[in-house]
Structures are given as C-alpha cells and as structure tokens.
Amino acid sequence: MEKRALITGITGQDGSYLAELLLEKGYKVFGLRRRTSVPILENIEHIKNDIEFIDGDLLDMGSLINAVNISQPDEVYNLAAQSFVGTSWIQPVLTGEVTGVGVTNILEAVRVVKPDARFYQASSSEMFGKVVETPQKETTPFYPRSPYGVAKVYGHWITVNYRESFDMFACSGILFNHESPRRGVEFVTRKVTDAAARIKLGLQKELRMGNLDAQRDWGFAGDYVKAMWLMLQQEKPDDYVIATGETHTVQELVEIAFGHLDLNWRDYVVIDPKFVRPAEVDLLLGDPSKAKQKLGWKLDVGFEQLVTMMVESDLKRMENNR
Ligand code: NAP
Ligand code: G4F
C-alpha cells in the first residue's frame, strides 16, 4: 500500500530534497506550509503539483492536529524551525518557541491523532557547541552556544522523552552542516558561493564575512535526507549522528569557491565584526560510524565537489537572469 508522509518545513532546503526522495519512492507526500503574503516555493517549484499542502504553523497546535488528521501519515518528518543561528540571538524567544517547544506541539499532535506514526526530529550538531570531545558522536554531551542550539537540545530531549514515555517510534537525527544550491543565502556556504559568482560577473565588489577560522563538517543535503528516511525504516527507533567525518575552515571554503572561478579571495573578502557571533562554535567534526554500520548510510558528495556544485549553480542562475 502507498505510504503517507507529512513533512514540516517542506519549503526549506531539506524539505525539498526529502520530498523528492519520498516521491521517488512512491509516497503520498503532505507538506505543512505557513501562510505567506506571496508563495515561497522556489525550492519545490518543480514538484509542487505532486505535493498536498496543508496550511499550518509549528506554533499553532490546532493546525498541527488538523495536519496529522488530514494526512494520516505513516511517517512524520519535523524539519520546520527558525534554523539560522545568527538570528537566534536577535529573536531568542521566537527561536525557543518554534525550534524548541514547536517540537512538543507536533509530537503532541502525533500522539493524540496518530500515535503509531514514525517520527523524525531534525536535531543538530549545534547542540555540541563548545565541544567536550572530538569527534562528536551520539554519546557526546551537549554544550550549546546559541539560543538556537539551546532550543535544539530541548527538541532532542523531548523526542527521546516521547519515545520513552509513550513508546512512540521517535528518532532524533543529529545532523552536521549540510548544504546545497538550495541553501538559504545567509548561511556561510551559500553566501560565499553566491558572492563569488556575483563578483565574477561584476555584480558585486566585495564580500563581508565574520570568523574565517571556524571549522565545520560540511556535507551535501541530498545525501543527508536519505539518512532521515533510513532512520524511520529500522526495527527500533534510535538517535544517529550524520556527518562526513571531515572538517574544513570557513577560509578553505572561500578559497575553493573563489579559486574555482580563478579569483583570488584576498582581493575581495573583508572582515566585518557585524558577522562575528556573540559566542562561536569553533569546531565541529562528526563521527558517523553508527549510521554507517546500522543504517548502511553512505555519502556520495565530498566537500570540494559540494562547493563547486554550488558555485556553478549560482553562476548559471545569475547568467540566466541577465
Ligand atoms: P531551512 O531551509 O531554513 O527550512 C526551514 C523550514 O522551516 C522552512 O520551510 C520554513 O518555512 C519552516 N518554518 C519556519 N518556521 C516555521 C513555523 N513556525 N511553522 C512551520 N514552519 C516553519 O532549514 P533546513 O536547512 O532545510 O533544515 C531543516 C531542519 O534541519 C531545521 O530544523 C534545521 O534546524 C535542521 N538542521 C539543519 C542543518 C543544516 O545544516 N541544514 C543541520 C542540522 C539540523 P518558510 O519557508 O515559510 O520560512
Ligand atoms: O553557515 P552558518 O551560518 O551555519 P551554522 O551556524 O554552523 O549553523 C548551520 O548548521 C547547523 C548544524 O551544525 C544547523 F543546525 C543550523 O540550522 C545551520 O544550518 O555558519 C557556519 C560558520 C559559523 O562558525 C560562522 O560564525 O561560518 C561562520 N561565518 C563566518 N562568516 C559566517 C560568516 N556565517 C555566516 N552565516 N555568515 C558569515 O558572514
């Protein structure tokens, strides 16, 4: 029988790749979508007719109950969040409500309406923050460094709690940074690839950046949504770290992106304190051994390939818009 999935955050980067994957697998896909003055469908334009949209918001419990009722899902993927770390210092309360308590809202809706649905929570390596061990794995203690990280810790533990309290099939995927041409332009990878393309085409003169020494474990979003699906296909619910096992500095990212377009990044990058965070996560490096072993998960796209894919995509988009 056709499986049914409800995805929150369907308009975002991961929501779009996950919807593609589930449609390919023959799922009936429902997407929770916030009402906006103009539709935000850029990431899912190509599949929008294959998705059944349901209006709702993580802050509005009634709308979530309605969404679970209409979709009667076998699987629920909670990807919705205020997901930008920088904004979480400017809107800490909203971030706590959406990214943290919002998880309880959707878990409650599932518990009340369809408790046998399998549930995926989009947890984050930001929870490791000021890391207490390297590489970070499922057992590494959390030390969040931003209101966003704090909210994600809440979301993680409430997911574990619903699994243990109500015997729900609830999994927390602790995903390290993952990127793609569909990444929002305020995140560092896309900010850099977009700027490199603009500078190449003479549309921008400089790129203002924050801390170039920060290190991240960056993978491709298309690989990471496969892990989400795999987690919900197991016999038992569990939590998994998803990462590449490699770390790179922001400066390396800049070098590769500009180098790919034969530009010397030092001629264009300006350090601007505005982009330096009140508390930084200096180093993230994940250990994906458990996911590889138990889920059979693997990644296909490496770091350099990811950055050049994003640069090429931005360049093409801008050339087409000229
Ligand atoms: P994204 O592109 O920012 O997408 C976020 C989605 O959440 C959007 O669809 C957004 O809708 C929706 N949303 C925001 N507030 C909402 C609300 N109050 N009610 C309902 N929907 C709401 O994020 P992403 O990169 O795809 O990440 C997906 C999830 O994984 C997020 O929870 C993120 O925190 C988590 N995560 C991401 C990474 C990463 O590296 N990408 C790593 C670890 C964890 P609009 O389009 O209407 O704004
Ligand atoms: O791309 P970022 O904004 O991502 P960050 O903060 O690591 O968060 C992302 O990954 C998390 C997983 O670990 C997700 F949970 C979260 O939702 C989000 O997807 O920044 C990466 C690094 C930071 O150290 C930041 O300080 O890049 C540094 N950076 C330096 N200059 C900058 C800039 N970041 C941004 N966004 N803009 C800059 O100009």
Side-chain angles (χ1 to χ4, degrees):
M1 218 176 68
E2 185 185 56
K3 274 202 180 176
R4 301 161 74 87
L6 172 63
I7 303 176
T8 75
I10 190 130
T11 53
Q13 170 188 258
D14 291 6
S16 69
Y17 284 105
L18 180 65
E20 271 175 14
L21 179 76
L22 297 182
L23 287 169
E24 265 166 41
K25 290 186 182 296
Y27 280 61
K28 167 92 184 144
V29 175
F30 297 83
L32 185 86
R33 193 172 63 160
R34 298 198 280 182
R35 189 259 158 198
T36 46
S37 58
V38 285
I40 312 174
L41 294 175
E42 202 179 318
N43 285 338
I44 47 173
E45 194 61 49
H46 58 301
I47 47 171
K48 69 177 184 201
N49 295 332
D50 302 321
I51 297 167
E52 190 165 321
F53 294 104
I54 306 173
D55 285 343
D57 193 298
L58 274 198
L59 297 177
D60 189 326
M61 167 78 98
S63 72
L64 301 177
I65 291 177
N66 181 55
V68 179
N69 219 346
I70 291 176
S71 56
Q72 291 294 316
D74 300 294
E75 295 169 13
V76 176
Y77 296 86
N78 183 39
L79 309 186
Q82 190 303 93
S83 75
F84 187 52
V85 172
T87 293
S88 78
W89 278 284
I90 299 162
Q91 300 183 347
V93 176
L94 178 90
T95 303
E97 286 170 351
V98 177
T99 306
V101 180
V103 185
T104 311
N105 286 339
I106 181 78
L107 276 166
E108 269 294 275
V110 174
R111 184 183 70 82
V112 169
V113 180
K114 188 95 176 33
D116 64 332
R118 295 184 170 207
F119 180 84
Y120 173 84
Q121 166 58 16
S123 293
S124 165
S125 50
E126 270 291 304
M127 300 190 301
F128 297 124
K130 191 172 179 185
V131 298
V132 301
E133 70 174 339
T134 296
Q136 296 85 48
K137 47 185 187 279
E138 290 79 4
T139 51
T140 302
F142 300 138
Y143 188 152
R145 291 276 277 172
S146 63
Y148 169 84
V150 173
K152 281 289 179 188
V153 171
Y154 174 91
H156 168 81
W157 282 117
I158 200 71
T159 302
V160 173
N161 183 261
Y162 268 57
R163 179 166 77 218
E164 294 176 355
S165 305
F166 305 115
D167 204 20
M168 284 170 63
F169 194 111
C171 301
S172 173
I174 307 173
L175 272 53
F176 282 62
N177 299 50
H178 46 279
E179 320 292 315
S180 74
R182 297 181 201 165
R183 186 61 142 153
V185 281
E186 74 269 58
F187 296 92
V188 76
T189 51
R190 186 72 200 293
K191 179 173 171 176
V192 167
T193 62
D194 180 77
R198 282 177 189 280
I199 289 169
K200 183 73 186 174
L201 296 178
L203 301 170
Q204 186 171 322
K205 288 197 162 45
E206 62 176 24
L207 169 59
R208 303 189 85 81
M209 301 279 301
N211 174 19
L212 298 187
D213 296 327
Q215 289 174 264
R216 288 291 182 277
D217 179 329
W218 277 294
F220 171 53
D223 288 339
Y224 284 44
V225 298
K226 292 179 189 158
M228 298 176 186
W229 178 78
L230 281 168
M231 283 179 219
L232 298 200
Q233 312 314 309
Q234 304 306 304
E235 219 169 280
K236 287 194 178 139
D238 204 348
D239 309 322
Y240 297 88
V241 158
I242 304 299
T244 69
E246 257 183 47
T247 193
H248 299 273
T249 62
V250 173
Q251 184 170 316
E252 280 175 78
L253 156 73
V254 172
E255 279 168 10
I256 294 174
F258 279 72
H260 185 65
L261 298 177
D262 298 319
L263 298 169
N264 182 353
W265 68 274
R266 290 181 191 278
D267 296 337
Y268 305 100
V269 172
V270 178
I271 302 303
D272 184 336
K274 193 169 90 184
F275 295 107
V276 176
R277 293 176 176 178
E280 178 63 287
V281 171
D282 295 318
L283 162 80
L284 289 176
L285 172 62
D287 174 359
S289 309
K290 179 176 169 185
K292 286 188 172 170
Q293 233 170 47
K294 297 207 167 168
L295 303 178
W297 177 74
K298 63 174 180 59
L299 47 103
D300 290 324
V301 179
F303 178 62
E304 190 157 346
Q305 195 186 348
L306 171 66
V307 177
T308 54
M309 172 210 296
M310 292 174 69
V311 171
E312 287 295 331
S313 159
D314 279 323
L315 197 62
K316 197 166 154 202
R317 185 173 44 79
M318 274 168 227
E319 281 169 346
N320 289 344
N321 286 346
R322 271 183 146 187

